[in-house]
Amino acid sequence: MKWKIAAAFPLALAAALWIGNTSLFSRFPSDKPLRIIAHRGQHQLFDASHVENDTCTASQMLPPTHAFLENSIAGMKAAFDAGADVVELDVHLTPDKQFAVFHDWTLDCRTEANGVTEQTPMPVLKTLDIGYGYTADGGRTFPFRGQGKGLMPTLPEVFAALPDGRFLINFKSRRREEGEALATLLNADAAARAATFGVYGGNEPTETAVGLVTALPGYSNRSAKSCLLNYLALGWSGHVPETCRNTLVPVPANLAFLLWGWPERFYDRMRAAGSDVVLIGPFEAGDAGSSGIDDSRTWAMVPPGFPGLVWTNVIEKVKPEVERRGFCALPSKLLICG
């Protein structure tokens, strides 16, 4: 008799875990639209097959199909026009305490200058050509050289130029000072706060900004790792770790199946904890880039009816994929219910 009870226990445990975490009987809310985060706005693509942390991606550019450059106001506007709900952008706090909107840690790759971006005063950055280094043919031609002169904006300039936009701000450094400076800006300017969807990036500035600005969602490298690993350990019980609460929860599409209750129950648990789920592209060991939901293969990883956020590098290609899969999006956007 005892051996029968012992044999039945694992089955009962497995059944309890399945019942407590299956999405079989759950549904996504029908009134919540899919939302799109456009990484870097509409921008030039590059060959990501051999990209490392120090790779000059402008020199790996694919043949251009449009005229927009990353982190430019024109590229951000184009992203919103193409259906983005949120545009991701990158910031550096300069010596004169301005937030320069630019991706690279140094100026050497994309501009005609050299040096560290955050160590360069904003008036100097304003003179540079952010399209200078782009080439798709190994340096024989530079199709954007001369066209990006003076186009590196400050963060307030972005807010002023696109007053209806919402932005996810990426801290490129690990300086606490950056988080403090952004918090000062957002707490003093209601329009800037309304435009800031969230923050992410380096541990120190991100966690500082989140701590100083009321209800500002955001995740650092440290908090995102803590959230997902603790949820993997305890999520079977329905418990949502503190680092998963009132924040943005990034989920790599190829690892999502590991999360207890994925997709509907996981989403419901995060929403009940005050968090938004951001589905990003597949995670690969050693990946130095920001993988997105960028093609039919990765769009197939998005659960039907998913009402969270989807991260993409190709906002200009999103509309057909969304419509093909029958997702709903905000009525004010170009994307519609299929």
Side-chain angles (χ1 to χ4, degrees):
M1 185 64 178
K2 290 183 178 179
W3 71 266
K4 290 184 178 180
I5 294 175
F9 179 76
L11 295 176
L13 179 60
L17 287 174
W18 183 83
I19 291 170
N21 291 282
T22 182
S23 286
L24 187 61
F25 308 111
S26 301
R27 295 291 182 271
F28 286 128
S30 59
D31 60 341
K32 298 289 186 181
L34 178 77
R35 289 159 294 155
I36 306 294
I37 297 177
H39 181 221
R40 306 187 193 181
Q42 188 165 344
H43 63 278
Q44 299 302 315
L45 303 180
F46 53 84
D47 181 0
S49 57
H50 300 292
V51 171
E52 298 180 1
N53 286 325
D54 59 351
T55 299
C56 175
T57 55
S59 69
Q60 307 291 319
M61 184 184 71
L62 298 176
T65 59
H66 58 76
F68 302 110
L69 297 172
E70 66 178 51
N71 281 300
S72 67
I73 289 174
M76 296 178 205
K77 182 179 185 303
F80 286 123
D81 289 345
D85 297 280
V86 178
V87 164
E88 185 269 2
L89 54 78
D90 309 290
V91 296
H92 303 260
L93 187 65
T94 63
D96 45 340
K97 308 309 178 187
Q98 297 289 313
F99 275 113
V101 179
F102 187 68
H103 176 270
D104 292 7
W105 184 252
T106 67
L107 302 168
D108 308 48
C109 173
R110 282 177 168 74
T111 81
E112 71 274 36
N114 301 109
V116 177
T117 305
E118 68 172 20
Q119 295 175 4
T120 307
M122 198 67 220
V124 175
L125 296 177
K126 281 289 188 182
T127 68
L128 302 181
D129 178 4
I130 64 171
Y132 187 87
Y134 285 87
T135 179
D137 53 16
R140 290 189 295 276
T141 61
F142 293 86
F144 295 103
R145 186 165 288 185
Q147 297 183 35
K149 196 81 170 176
L151 295 188
M152 189 188 304
T154 66
L155 187 58
E157 286 172 345
V158 171
F159 292 155
L162 300 166
D164 298 324
R166 301 200 74 198
F167 302 91
L168 176 61
I169 298 172
N170 179 21
F171 292 111
K172 302 304 292 185
S173 84
R174 296 192 59 181
R175 296 162 56 197
R176 176 183 170 85
E177 179 187 8
E178 281 199 357
E180 294 171 340
L182 183 66
T184 299
L185 171 63
L186 299 187
N187 286 329
D189 186 338
R193 175 63 189 91
T196 303
F197 175 76
V199 294
Y200 81 107
N203 297 332
E204 293 80 1
T206 302
E207 293 166 13
T208 298
V210 168
L212 294 175
V213 181
T214 301
L216 177 67
Y219 62 93
S220 65
N221 301 328
R222 176 165 52 205
S223 69
K225 182 178 180 180
S226 172
C227 165
L228 294 178
L229 290 179
N230 279 297
Y231 185 81
L232 283 171
L234 299 171
W236 58 269
S237 66
H239 173 71
V240 177
E242 190 61 36
T243 46
C244 294
R245 295 178 177 273
N246 301 308
T247 187
L248 302 171
V249 179
V251 176
N254 61 331
L255 302 180
F257 73 96
L258 296 172
L259 298 171
W260 297 101
W262 179 262
E264 287 91 344
R265 282 200 125 159
F266 176 83
Y267 173 84
D268 288 344
R269 287 169 180 169
M270 295 302 119
R271 291 300 295 153
S275 294
D276 259 321
V277 179
V278 182
L279 194 63
I280 62 177
F283 173 81
E284 304 292 345
D287 183 9
S290 296
S291 179
I293 306 299
D294 296 336
D295 53 28
S296 294
R297 179 184 67 87
T298 48
W299 270 102
M301 299 179 183
V302 182
F306 181 65
L309 294 142
V310 166
W311 177 290
T312 188
N313 290 295
V314 285
I315 184 62
E316 66 272 23
K317 298 181 180 180
V318 161
K319 186 171 183 285
E321 297 290 351
V322 169
E323 292 182 341
R324 185 177 300 121
R325 288 163 177 79
F327 286 102
C328 287
L330 295 173
S332 61
K333 298 294 184 183
L334 295 178
L335 309 178
I336 58 173
C337 290

PDB file of all heavy atoms in Angstrom, residues 86-99:
ATOM      1  N   VAL A  86       5.708  52.725 -29.019  1.00  0.00           N
ATOM      2  CA  VAL A  86       6.829  53.217 -28.219  1.00  0.00           C
ATOM      3  C   VAL A  86       8.078  53.168 -29.094  1.00  0.00           C
ATOM      4  O   VAL A  86       8.273  52.212 -29.849  1.00  0.00           O
ATOM      5  CB  VAL A  86       7.047  52.347 -26.961  1.00  0.00           C
ATOM      6  CG1 VAL A  86       8.251  52.833 -26.162  1.00  0.00           C
ATOM      7  CG2 VAL A  86       5.794  52.310 -26.097  1.00  0.00           C
ATOM      8  N   VAL A  87       8.915  54.189 -28.987  1.00  0.00           N
ATOM      9  CA  VAL A  87      10.214  54.182 -29.658  1.00  0.00           C
ATOM     10  C   VAL A  87      11.308  54.097 -28.604  1.00  0.00           C
ATOM     11  O   VAL A  87      11.300  54.858 -27.626  1.00  0.00           O
ATOM     12  CB  VAL A  87      10.407  55.434 -30.530  1.00  0.00           C
ATOM     13  CG1 VAL A  87      11.879  55.614 -30.910  1.00  0.00           C
ATOM     14  CG2 VAL A  87       9.551  55.347 -31.797  1.00  0.00           C
ATOM     15  N   GLU A  88      12.215  53.148 -28.788  1.00  0.00           N
ATOM     16  CA  GLU A  88      13.374  53.014 -27.910  1.00  0.00           C
ATOM     17  C   GLU A  88      14.472  53.936 -28.414  1.00  0.00           C
ATOM     18  O   GLU A  88      14.713  54.041 -29.628  1.00  0.00           O
ATOM     19  CB  GLU A  88      13.851  51.552 -27.913  1.00  0.00           C
ATOM     20  CG  GLU A  88      14.985  51.250 -26.953  1.00  0.00           C
ATOM     21  CD  GLU A  88      16.373  51.394 -27.552  1.00  0.00           C
ATOM     22  OE1 GLU A  88      16.490  51.772 -28.745  1.00  0.00           O
ATOM     23  OE2 GLU A  88      17.352  51.126 -26.846  1.00  0.00           O
ATOM     24  N   LEU A  89      15.132  54.633 -27.490  1.00  0.00           N
ATOM     25  CA  LEU A  89      16.256  55.491 -27.852  1.00  0.00           C
ATOM     26  C   LEU A  89      17.339  55.384 -26.789  1.00  0.00           C
ATOM     27  O   LEU A  89      17.104  54.895 -25.686  1.00  0.00           O
ATOM     28  CB  LEU A  89      15.800  56.944 -28.052  1.00  0.00           C
ATOM     29  CG  LEU A  89      15.028  57.642 -26.934  1.00  0.00           C
ATOM     30  CD1 LEU A  89      15.940  58.111 -25.805  1.00  0.00           C
ATOM     31  CD2 LEU A  89      14.258  58.837 -27.489  1.00  0.00           C
ATOM     32  N   ASP A  90      18.544  55.842 -27.139  1.00  0.00           N
ATOM     33  CA  ASP A  90      19.721  55.709 -26.279  1.00  0.00           C
ATOM     34  C   ASP A  90      20.210  57.080 -25.841  1.00  0.00           C
ATOM     35  O   ASP A  90      20.194  58.026 -26.643  1.00  0.00           O
ATOM     36  CB  ASP A  90      20.845  54.992 -27.033  1.00  0.00           C
ATOM     37  CG  ASP A  90      20.370  53.692 -27.670  1.00  0.00           C
ATOM     38  OD1 ASP A  90      20.088  52.751 -26.918  1.00  0.00           O
ATOM     39  OD2 ASP A  90      20.268  53.636 -28.913  1.00  0.00           O
ATOM     40  N   VAL A  91      20.657  57.191 -24.590  1.00  0.00           N
ATOM     41  CA  VAL A  91      21.122  58.488 -24.101  1.00  0.00           C
ATOM     42  C   VAL A  91      22.494  58.389 -23.441  1.00  0.00           C
ATOM     43  O   VAL A  91      22.868  57.353 -22.883  1.00  0.00           O
ATOM     44  CB  VAL A  91      20.123  59.116 -23.104  1.00  0.00           C
ATOM     45  CG1 VAL A  91      18.790  59.417 -23.780  1.00  0.00           C
ATOM     46  CG2 VAL A  91      19.926  58.243 -21.870  1.00  0.00           C
ATOM     47  N   HIS A  92      23.207  59.525 -23.525  1.00  0.00           N
ATOM     48  CA  HIS A  92      24.485  59.717 -22.835  1.00  0.00           C
ATOM     49  C   HIS A  92      24.432  61.095 -22.177  1.00  0.00           C
ATOM     50  O   HIS A  92      24.063  62.075 -22.826  1.00  0.00           O
ATOM     51  CB  HIS A  92      25.666  59.694 -23.824  1.00  0.00           C
ATOM     52  CG  HIS A  92      25.760  58.454 -24.647  1.00  0.00           C
ATOM     53  ND1 HIS A  92      26.627  57.422 -24.357  1.00  0.00           N
ATOM     54  CD2 HIS A  92      25.111  58.074 -25.778  1.00  0.00           C
ATOM     55  CE1 HIS A  92      26.510  56.465 -25.265  1.00  0.00           C
ATOM     56  NE2 HIS A  92      25.586  56.841 -26.136  1.00  0.00           N
ATOM     57  N   LEU A  93      24.829  61.194 -20.919  1.00  0.00           N
ATOM     58  CA  LEU A  93      24.882  62.478 -20.230  1.00  0.00           C
ATOM     59  C   LEU A  93      26.245  63.108 -20.480  1.00  0.00           C
ATOM     60  O   LEU A  93      27.282  62.580 -20.076  1.00  0.00           O
ATOM     61  CB  LEU A  93      24.646  62.284 -18.728  1.00  0.00           C
ATOM     62  CG  LEU A  93      24.510  63.566 -17.905  1.00  0.00           C
ATOM     63  CD1 LEU A  93      23.259  64.342 -18.317  1.00  0.00           C
ATOM     64  CD2 LEU A  93      24.473  63.248 -16.414  1.00  0.00           C
ATOM     65  N   THR A  94      26.234  64.255 -21.160  1.00  0.00           N
ATOM     66  CA  THR A  94      27.471  64.920 -21.574  1.00  0.00           C
ATOM     67  C   THR A  94      28.051  65.759 -20.429  1.00  0.00           C
ATOM     68  O   THR A  94      27.389  65.992 -19.416  1.00  0.00           O
ATOM     69  CB  THR A  94      27.197  65.822 -22.788  1.00  0.00           C
ATOM     70  OG1 THR A  94      26.267  66.855 -22.401  1.00  0.00           O
ATOM     71  CG2 THR A  94      26.606  65.020 -23.940  1.00  0.00           C
ATOM     72  N   PRO A  95      29.289  66.261 -20.573  1.00  0.00           N
ATOM     73  CA  PRO A  95      29.895  67.066 -19.500  1.00  0.00           C
ATOM     74  C   PRO A  95      29.101  68.330 -19.176  1.00  0.00           C
ATOM     75  O   PRO A  95      29.166  68.829 -18.049  1.00  0.00           O
ATOM     76  CB  PRO A  95      31.279  67.417 -20.070  1.00  0.00           C
ATOM     77  CG  PRO A  95      31.563  66.356 -21.058  1.00  0.00           C
ATOM     78  CD  PRO A  95      30.236  66.005 -21.662  1.00  0.00           C
ATOM     79  N   ASP A  96      28.343  68.878 -20.151  1.00  0.00           N
ATOM     80  CA  ASP A  96      27.522  70.055 -19.900  1.00  0.00           C
ATOM     81  C   ASP A  96      26.097  69.678 -19.499  1.00  0.00           C
ATOM     82  O   ASP A  96      25.174  70.476 -19.592  1.00  0.00           O
ATOM     83  CB  ASP A  96      27.523  70.988 -21.112  1.00  0.00           C
ATOM     84  CG  ASP A  96      27.332  70.268 -22.433  1.00  0.00           C
ATOM     85  OD1 ASP A  96      27.562  69.045 -22.492  1.00  0.00           O
ATOM     86  OD2 ASP A  96      26.938  70.914 -23.409  1.00  0.00           O
ATOM     87  N   LYS A  97      25.940  68.420 -19.032  1.00  0.00           N
ATOM     88  CA  LYS A  97      24.699  67.926 -18.433  1.00  0.00           C
ATOM     89  C   LYS A  97      23.510  67.931 -19.401  1.00  0.00           C
ATOM     90  O   LYS A  97      22.368  68.192 -19.021  1.00  0.00           O
ATOM     91  CB  LYS A  97      24.336  68.741 -17.162  1.00  0.00           C
ATOM     92  CG  LYS A  97      25.457  68.844 -16.155  1.00  0.00           C
ATOM     93  CD  LYS A  97      26.050  67.479 -15.806  1.00  0.00           C
ATOM     94  CE  LYS A  97      27.216  67.590 -14.828  1.00  0.00           C
ATOM     95  NZ  LYS A  97      27.919  66.301 -14.609  1.00  0.00           N
ATOM     96  N   GLN A  98      23.790  67.596 -20.647  1.00  0.00           N
ATOM     97  CA  GLN A  98      22.746  67.397 -21.642  1.00  0.00           C
ATOM     98  C   GLN A  98      22.640  65.905 -21.943  1.00  0.00           C
ATOM     99  O   GLN A  98      23.643  65.195 -21.920  1.00  0.00           O
ATOM    100  CB  GLN A  98      23.083  68.149 -22.938  1.00  0.00           C
ATOM    101  CG  GLN A  98      23.153  69.648 -22.794  1.00  0.00           C
ATOM    102  CD  GLN A  98      21.793  70.270 -22.573  1.00  0.00           C
ATOM    103  OE1 GLN A  98      20.838  69.958 -23.274  1.00  0.00           O
ATOM    104  NE2 GLN A  98      21.696  71.160 -21.590  1.00  0.00           N
ATOM    105  N   PHE A  99      21.435  65.456 -22.240  1.00  0.00           N
ATOM    106  CA  PHE A  99      21.266  64.067 -22.665  1.00  0.00           C
ATOM    107  C   PHE A  99      21.360  64.003 -24.188  1.00  0.00           C
ATOM    108  O   PHE A  99      20.431  64.420 -24.892  1.00  0.00           O
ATOM    109  CB  PHE A  99      19.933  63.504 -22.192  1.00  0.00           C
ATOM    110  CG  PHE A  99      19.955  62.963 -20.788  1.00  0.00           C
ATOM    111  CD1 PHE A  99      19.239  63.582 -19.783  1.00  0.00           C
ATOM    112  CD2 PHE A  99      20.713  61.836 -20.480  1.00  0.00           C
ATOM    113  CE1 PHE A  99      19.265  63.095 -18.493  1.00  0.00           C
ATOM    114  CE2 PHE A  99      20.748  61.333 -19.180  1.00  0.00           C
ATOM    115  CZ  PHE A  99      20.014  61.970 -18.186  1.00  0.00           C
TER     116      PHE A  99
END
